[in-house]
Every structure is written in structure tokens, then in C-alpha cells.
Amino acid sequence: MRSSFVIKGHICYCPEPARLVIAPDSYLLCENGVCRGVFAELPAACRALPFEDMGDRFILPGFVDLHTHAPQSAFRGTGMDRELTEWLTANAFPEESRYADLAYAEKAYRIFTDELVRSATTRAVIFATVHTPATLLLMDLLEQAGLGAYVGKVNMDRNAPPSLCEESAARSAADTAAWLDQCRQRAHKTVRPILTPRFIPSCSDELLTALGELQKQYGVPVQSHLSENLSEIEWVKELCPQAAFYGQAYDRFGLFGTNGPAVMAHCVHSGDAELDLIRRRGVFIAHCPQSNMNLASGIAPVRRCLDRGLRMGLGTDVAGGASLSMLRAVSDAIQCSKLLWRLADTTLAPLKLSEALYLATKGGGAFFGKVGSFEDGYAFDAVVLDDTALPHPQLLAPAQRLERLVYLADDRHICAKWVDGRRLF
Amino acid sequence: MRSSFVIKGHICYCPEPARLVIAPDSYLLCENGVCRGVFAELPAACRALPFEDMGDRFILPGFVDLHTHAPQSAFRGTGMDRELTEWLTANAFPEESRYADLAYAEKAYRIFTDELVRSATTRAVIFATVHTPATLLLMDLLEQAGLGAYVGKVNMDRNAPPSLCEESAARSAADTAAWLDQCRQRAHKTVRPILTPRFIPSCSDELLTALGELQKQYGVPVQSHLSENLSEIEWVKELCPQAAFYGQAYDRFGLFGTNGPAVMAHCVHSGDAELDLIRRRGVFIAHCPQSNMNLASGIAPVRRCLDRGLRMGLGTDVAGGASLSMLRAVSDAIQCSKLLWRLADTTLAPLKLSEALYLATKGGGAFFGKVGSFEDGYAFDAVVLDDTALPHPQLLAPAQRLERLVYLADDRHICAKWVDGRRLF
């Protein structure tokens, strides 16, 4: 049984990129885990429901982290003086190799999960590693915590160190099918599997062919990386000369939205043809501004994507990003959009607060279905933010307080959280 | 009497931009408020001194915030969707006008001071407002807290709202002289006055002439803004056609290092001639990366400045910057340098961690004298960082833990602080 209840507070959400709704001292109705709207007065029919008054606090849709790497959480904030491919070899691969050891994985994934619980994130799309037992463990931990997630066992059958390189395409695909079967048996409520070819350099054509088949067979979505770094793009051109651009290297195997939903992280350097294909295929873009700074990748043209009506959300991309905070991702996205406007292209207007908040909630939430808004019918995912510990010498308007929370709040200021109407704390 | 004592921990400091010293489990000697060096073993002569073992924690030089605006702290993180001149009119000036009310100023400046105490900052160069009583109050609060600071009563006699525009150049100068006299009477130990013409658009030639005289008369340094925003630079050209570049508009009045030390915030768009004059005059640059993002100003070419051997530090520039954290300023500086390299000029190599830490400590500290390092003879300004609350699944090397603290720590992880050998907490 999912719960039904009412909470009251300053309710904020973005039904569209250009529209931030702020309903002060209003009521939010949850019926069987689903949002049934925002009301200025408590409807008579709801008076019998459990009620909690959040007082002077802010109630927002839970944030959706559209791209992050759970096993990299351990080394976030270290080894930052490197670009993508060198960083993968020096930082990511050695750490990911440790997850063959389930005891280590449990220790590390518990730290990751605990932190995600305390954060503003309610749902995330997550890379695990190539290791099935550790991936299942991560899924169990997230499910137990009540978080919503897509989690992927990673596929890599080339250009990886021996400790991470799967024996063959066939073996990688067979292990993936076995993992998907185990996921079906587990029948988690909020955590689901997602196919995860790491990126084109890590996956042979044979492997991608097999994964395309698995996507059709199991009806699961797919996540990967796209056009993040200039050297990476050159490498993909060499590896895959038959593709006119990077996105086609996935599309050839149906892994670009044809066989099922797809989310691609970064798209920093996607050209017009790639963006057109992304639009036609309904592929989601996970914009990860902090990672793109730390790895010196550049700044994705978010304005161009919004203007084209692309489906898009924000990701922390830990450990390319050092912070697991989606509030930080919102301000990073705004700041980076201002720099792109200033340094590269004055036709790309900087993101407004409402646009970045939209991306971080409803934009990325759409990958999970009706998620990320307080409109009628949306999953009841919510976080409550408290700015009491951010003292101010005067009374501020709710809109100012909300913006201030985006820039200044951390996990200390998050005091309640629900996923599908189930309260996490 | 200043104190003498020894503390032990993982001692880190940057004597040069390219050199980060990490001395694990070492001893740091303070004699009469002055650092007397780092030792692997406790010298026999020091055994009688008070001793505190900080255990597995990190001891760093206190951070120096080379540019921030105390009265703007109240609106940080709000109204971020604007560029400099519009932002000044809509955000900064209305808030600064409130400091005519001493009761409001006390409320706001206490919040600011409390937060600065809890941060990693030990010294700061601070803009107050045009109001003498509120400025003196801020100086008293900072002195009582034990923080080191230069604080400036702001001068503005044009292009300001009536509530902030001083009656005349003569009146502004007379008020400034009276304020400097009151500062002399107070004889604070760690807080000193600094001349503060807001920027060229706010100050008539007559006022700048008078301030140049005051600098010679009182022997105080000067702070202002330089080449932050393209529209601002155009405006200065119109206002001051006799200056070949922005910096000359200060230099004509001796306010660019001739009459005494000068620090200029930003220098985002300084050309070769301006950078040459900065070098010749020994002017300090306060690089404020987050502010330059938020106000869409751009990214200052820090690499170029370091290569030329310019004197430079980091500033938070609250409320252009939303964060008062100098740790955040360090990671912001690194991230922005990577974007400048990627988007604008691949000859400008991104900043390394040691370089950004150097700027945030010894680089800006030099404006205060021998400050910002643990070399013999430096003021004993120190902060202790504790990463216990940032759990990790494995043992990390001290260098990794330090980098991680820079990216992940906030005031929760700062557990002790000294200025001139006096402990604040």
C-alpha cells in the first residue's frame, strides 16, 4: 500500500523551463504515492488524511541525477589535474577494478548510498562496474534506502585494463542477460536495470550488436557517453569510420533510442547532425556541467538543446564531478551557460534559474515517466528545504529564498524526502 | 603577549606556485604569534611549550580572501540573472543603502562576521559601504572576532543612487579623513583601514585626486575594481577618454601602486599594456572566479598573470560570488582555468592544485606582509581541516586527502583556526 497524505509549505516546481511556480503556504496532496495537485486551501475531501505542516520550509520535487558513477564516488575530488582518457586510466579504471571484491563494494556503495539519501536527489541514473554481484548489491542498497534509480552493469570488451575487460563480446552479453534475469527475480520497486555500454571505445561492434538485441528482448533503457571530449571524439572516428558522427556509432545498433529509451551523458561537442538525430530518436541528454569543467571538456550548448526542444536533464557525473549535489549542478549549469555566452557564442542566452531547476527535476525526471513535477498524476517525489540555518538580516520573498537555497544549501538544509510517496527521512 | 606553542598534524603549504609541501605527522612551531618552521621531530628547545596534537588532521595556512563585500553578504545567491551594471542597480545599491541604519548594519555584519569566523578565511580585504559608523562597526566586529582584515569605507560621488551618493568630492574626502582618524584612535591589532574608491564610474577626478593625497598622508593601501565587465570598460572609456586603458584611470591619481599598495579586483579583460603597468607598479590582482561566472563577466587569464610574475590572490567577491568559502574559490579557479584553456586559448595551461592553493594563501597573503605560508618568519595564521566526516572506503595518501578537502570540505570540516598565533576556535 502506498501512502496518502497532505503536506503544507512553500511549494515550488517548474512545469515548463520558463515557468517557476511558487505557491507559498500551500497544500500538496499525495494519493497512493501519486501527486494530486497543489491547493491554496485544503480540499474538504482531504481533511481526514494524515497531515504535516512543514511551516516556513520549501517543498520541491525530488531532484533527478541523470548521470552518475557510483563506484567513482570514492575518488571524487582527487586526481583532478587530468583530461578524460588519461583520467580514466589513472583514476577511474583502477578504482572500478576493486569492485570485483564484494566486501569492498559493500563498504563503498554503503557510503555512496548514505550520501545519496541525505542529498536532494530522489532518483538517479547510475553506472556501476562490469561486476554483476557488486551491481546487484548496489541495486539492493538503493532499493532498501527507498531511492529511485536505473542502475547499469557496465559493458567493456576492449580498450580496458585486464581487470575490467570482459573476456569477449559473447561473455559480456551473456553476463548481462544473466544479470537482467536476476533483476527480474528481485522485482525491486524503485530500482531498475539499464543497459550500460561504457562508451564506443570500450565496446566492440559485436558487443553493441548483442546489447541491441538484449534491449529489444528485455525492454530496458540504455545509457552511455556521447561527444564529451575532443580527443575521445577523434578516437571514436578512428574506431568507427563508418559513422558520420559519434551518435551514429550507437545508432547503427539501435542503441540510440530505436530499441528503447536512451540517455547520453555530456553532448558537449555535438554538432547539428548529432543534435538532429538526438531529437528524432527522442534520446535524453544528461548535461553534467561540473564534470565538463573538471575534465576540461568544455561547456555543452544547453540553450541550443532547449531551443530545439530536446529532452534533457542534469547529472553530477561523479567523479568527473566532485559533488553529488544536484543543487550544485543547478548553479553549475547556470554559471557555465553564462561563460559559454561570454566566451564562445552570444546567441546562446544564459540559463535562467527556472530553466536549470526544470532540467534538474522534470527535465531529467521524464526519463522515469511522470516524475519531477507536482502536476496531477506525477510520482510523489519531494524534498523539503529549510533555510533557517542560513540567517538573513531581513525578510526575503519566497522567490529570493528559493534561489538562495539553490546557491547556498547543502545536505544540512534538506530535512525530509519522499520517493513515490514513501518517506525516506 | 602573543602566544608560543607547538601543534602537530599533516602540515601543508605552498612556498611557491608550483610547490605544494606536505609534511605528514609534523610539528609546527609558533613563537610570539610568528611561525618558526615545520619539523619532522619536535626540537628539544620546544619541549616546554604548550603542545596540541591535531592527530590525523590537516594544518594549512589560513586562507586570504583578497576581495569581498561585507554588506552584500545578505543578498548572496539571489538575483543572479543579471550582468554587472544592472546587478549593481538592482541588487547591490538598494542593499548597501540600508547600512545608513546602524541597527541593521549590526544585525547584518554580525551574521557576516560569524560566518567568516567559521570559514577557512583568516584574513580578508573587504569593501564596506559609504557609511562611516557602519564601517567602524564592521571593523570592531572583525577585530573582536580576531580576524585579520583591511576594511574600506567606500567612496562614491557620481553615478550612484541618492541614498549612496556622497554630497561632493570634498565631503567624501573629508569623511574619509575623519574615518581614518577614528581608525587610528581605535588602534585595532588585526583590522586596518584601506582606501576604497568603488570603481572609476563612481568616482570623479576630484575625488580620486583627494584620495591620492589621503593615501600619501595616511600611508594606507587602496582597493578597487578593474576591467571586470566589457560594458563597464566601455563606460570607463567614455568617462575617462584621457586614459589609454582602465588601469591608467587610477594611475593618473597615484592610486595604482604609486602612493602605496593597491589591490584591484578582477582584471578579466586586462590587455597587455594594463598587465604591464600592473607589474611595474606591483599592483595586486584579486582573481574572483565565481563572481566572474555569476555576473557573466568572463574568465581572467590567471596563467598569463602567473607567467608574468604578477602579484595575485583569490577573492570570493561576495555577493558577485555566492560563496564565502575560499576552498570553493580554489576549486572555482581551477575549473575556470580549464574552461578558458578549452574555450579560448590553449596556450593558457589550466591551474594546478598547488597554484590555486598558493594564490589563496601566500599569493594574496603577501598583501598583508609575511602571511599565507608556514615558512620561518610568517604570521602564524592557520586552519585545521578534518576529513573524518567525509568517509572513504580505503586509506588515502595525504595528497589525495588534501585535494579532496579542497573540493568537498565546508565549514563543518574546519575545526581550529589561528590569526597571528591567537586561536579563534
Side-chain angles (χ1 to χ4, degrees), chain A residues 252-268:
Chain A
R252 292 165 61 225
F253 305 98
L255 294 166
F256 209 63
T258 311
N259 298 338
V263 56
M264 292 285 152
H266 305 305
C267 302
V268 173

Side-chain angles (χ1 to χ4, degrees), chain A residues 74 77 79-80 95 98 104 230 293-294 296-297 322 328 335 338 341-342 392-394 403-404 408 411-412, chain B residues 74 77 79-80 83 95 98 104 230 293-294 296-297 322 335 338 342 392-394 403-404 408 411-412:
Chain A
M80 285 300 191
E95 178 63 22
R98 293 174 181 266
Y104 181 81
L230 294 175
M293 286 196 273
N294 283 331
S297 303
R328 172 76 188 260
Q335 289 167 346
K338 289 173 176 174
W341 170 81
R342 172 81 283 152
H392 198 280
Q394 53 183 278
E403 187 176 7
R404 198 163 164 259
L408 304 184
D411 55 298
R412 285 173 283 194
Chain B
M80 283 301 191
E83 261 194 279
E95 178 63 23
R98 292 173 180 267
Y104 181 81
L230 294 175
M293 287 195 274
N294 284 330
S297 303
Q335 289 167 346
K338 289 173 175 173
R342 171 82 282 149
H392 198 280
Q394 53 183 275
E403 186 176 8
R404 199 163 162 259
L408 303 183
D411 54 299
R412 284 174 282 193

Side-chain angles (χ1 to χ4, degrees), chain B residues 248-330:
Chain B
Q248 273 196 350
Y250 296 109
D251 195 55
R252 293 165 60 225
F253 304 98
L255 294 166
F256 209 64
T258 311
N259 297 339
V263 57
M264 293 285 151
H266 305 305
C267 304
V268 173
H269 304 284
S270 297
D272 282 342
E274 189 158 279
L275 292 177
D276 282 346
L277 190 63
I278 285 170
R279 187 183 49 73
R280 288 206 307 279
R281 298 278 192 263
V283 170
F284 281 76
I285 296 173
H287 172 47
C288 306
Q290 191 183 137
S291 170
N292 298 335
M293 287 195 274
N294 284 330
L295 299 180
S297 303
I299 301 174
V302 181
R303 172 65 57 205
R304 193 171 291 143
C305 298
L306 285 175
D307 286 349
R308 292 177 183 226
L310 304 188
R311 305 166 96 175
M312 192 168 202
L314 299 186
T316 60
D317 192 25
V318 163
S323 170
L324 199 57
S325 164
M326 283 297 295
L327 292 167
R328 173 77 188 259
V330 170

Side-chain angles (χ1 to χ4, degrees), chain A residues 158-400:
Chain A
R158 65 177 181 184
N159 295 315
S163 56
L164 287 179
C165 199
E166 295 175 295
E167 196 180 293
S168 66
R171 178 64 189 269
S172 176
D175 284 354
T176 301
W179 164 65
L180 290 170
D181 290 333
Q182 288 180 274
C183 292
R184 276 188 178 169
Q185 284 165 21
R186 270 170 160 84
H188 285 147
K189 282 185 182 143
T190 57
V191 177
R192 282 165 277 180
I194 182 167
L195 288 178
T196 307
R198 184 176 205 111
F199 67 158
I200 293 295
S202 303
C203 301
S204 67
D205 284 6
E206 194 186 343
L207 175 54
L208 293 171
T209 305
L211 293 177
E213 289 306 312
L214 284 178
Q215 186 168 27
K216 283 189 274 189
Q217 189 182 336
Y218 284 87
V220 288
V222 63
Q223 64 179 341
S224 198
H225 297 95
L226 183 64
S227 298
E228 173 179 4
N229 169 289
L230 294 175
S231 314
E232 171 213 18
I233 293 168
E234 284 307 306
W235 194 12
V236 170
K237 267 189 197 155
E238 285 166 30
L239 290 167
C240 205
Q242 55 281 70
F245 48 87
Y246 195 159
Q248 274 196 348
Y250 297 109
D251 195 55
R252 292 165 61 225
F253 305 98
L255 294 166
F256 209 63
T258 311
N259 298 338
V263 56
M264 292 285 152
H266 305 305
C267 302
V268 173
H269 304 284
S270 296
D272 283 340
E274 189 159 279
L275 292 177
D276 282 347
L277 190 64
I278 286 171
R279 187 182 49 72
R280 289 206 308 279
R281 298 277 191 265
V283 170
F284 281 76
I285 296 171
H287 171 49
C288 307
Q290 192 183 136
S291 170
N292 299 336
M293 286 196 273
N294 283 331
L295 299 181
S297 303
I299 301 174
V302 181
R303 172 64 58 203
R304 192 171 292 144
C305 299
L306 285 175
D307 287 348
R308 290 175 183 227
L310 304 189
R311 305 167 94 176
M312 193 169 198
L314 299 185
T316 60
D317 192 25
V318 162
S323 171
L324 199 56
S325 165
M326 283 297 295
L327 293 166
R328 172 76 188 260
V330 170
S331 62
D332 284 337
I334 296 170
Q335 289 167 346
C336 283
S337 73
K338 289 173 176 174
L339 290 179
L340 190 67
W341 170 81
R342 172 81 283 152
L343 292 172
D345 188 343
T346 52
T347 68
L348 301 175
L351 291 185
K352 300 286 182 191
L353 178 67
S354 70
E355 294 171 320
L357 277 175
Y358 171 87
L359 292 174
T361 52
K362 193 176 174 181
F367 193 70
F368 288 84
K370 293 186 87 167
V371 165
S373 181
F374 289 143
E375 292 156 86
D376 186 27
Y378 273 69
F380 192 93
D381 292 4
V383 287
V384 178
L385 299 182
D386 184 340
D387 63 1
T388 315
L390 298 169
H392 198 280
Q394 53 183 278
L395 286 176
L396 295 176
Q400 293 176 298

Side-chain angles (χ1 to χ4, degrees), chain B residues 322-396:
Chain B
S323 170
L324 199 57
S325 164
M326 283 297 295
L327 292 167
R328 173 77 188 259
V330 170
S331 61
D332 284 337
I334 295 171
Q335 289 167 346
C336 283
S337 73
K338 289 173 175 173
L339 290 179
L340 189 67
W341 171 80
R342 171 82 282 149
L343 293 172
D345 188 342
T346 52
T347 68
L348 302 175
L351 291 185
K352 300 286 182 193
L353 179 66
S354 70
E355 293 170 323
L357 276 174
Y358 171 88
L359 291 174
T361 53
K362 193 175 173 180
F367 193 71
F368 288 85
K370 292 185 87 168
V371 165
S373 181
F374 288 144
E375 293 157 85
D376 186 29
Y378 273 70
F380 193 92
D381 292 5
V383 286
V384 178
L385 299 182
D386 185 340
D387 62 2
T388 316
L390 299 168
H392 198 280
Q394 53 183 275
L395 286 175
L396 295 176

